[in-house]
Amino acid sequence: MAARVTFDRDRCKGCELCISVCPKHIVSIDEANTNRKGYHPAHVKDMDQCTGCASCARICPDSIITVYREVK
């Protein structure tokens, strides 16, 4: 099952909770960029590895993560 994860980067405060629960360890902090609030937002390093488990979206305290699953 293919999945896609999106982050509302301007609302992300870089708390790293999503990183701690990703079973594939593909979520990380984007150290190269900052958002409007001055935080380094989270992002997915390798979207092809995402299983669509939505653990990241469930733990996010600000609900900035959306997971889309492609049904085949």
Side-chain angles (χ1 to χ4, degrees), residues 7-50:
F7 294 80
D8 184 344
R9 294 175 61 88
D10 283 328
R11 291 182 49 218
C12 180
K13 59 187 176 195
C15 69
E16 300 186 17
L17 289 173
C18 54
I19 295 169
S20 69
V21 298
C22 180
K24 292 290 196 170
H25 308 288
I26 58 172
V27 181
S28 67
I29 294 295
D30 185 356
E31 297 290 339
N33 295 298
T34 57
N35 61 18
R36 291 188 307 196
K37 294 181 179 182
Y39 296 112
H40 293 285
H43 75 288
V44 175
K45 296 182 285 192
D46 185 1
M47 198 65 70
D48 292 334
Q49 296 294 315
C50 182

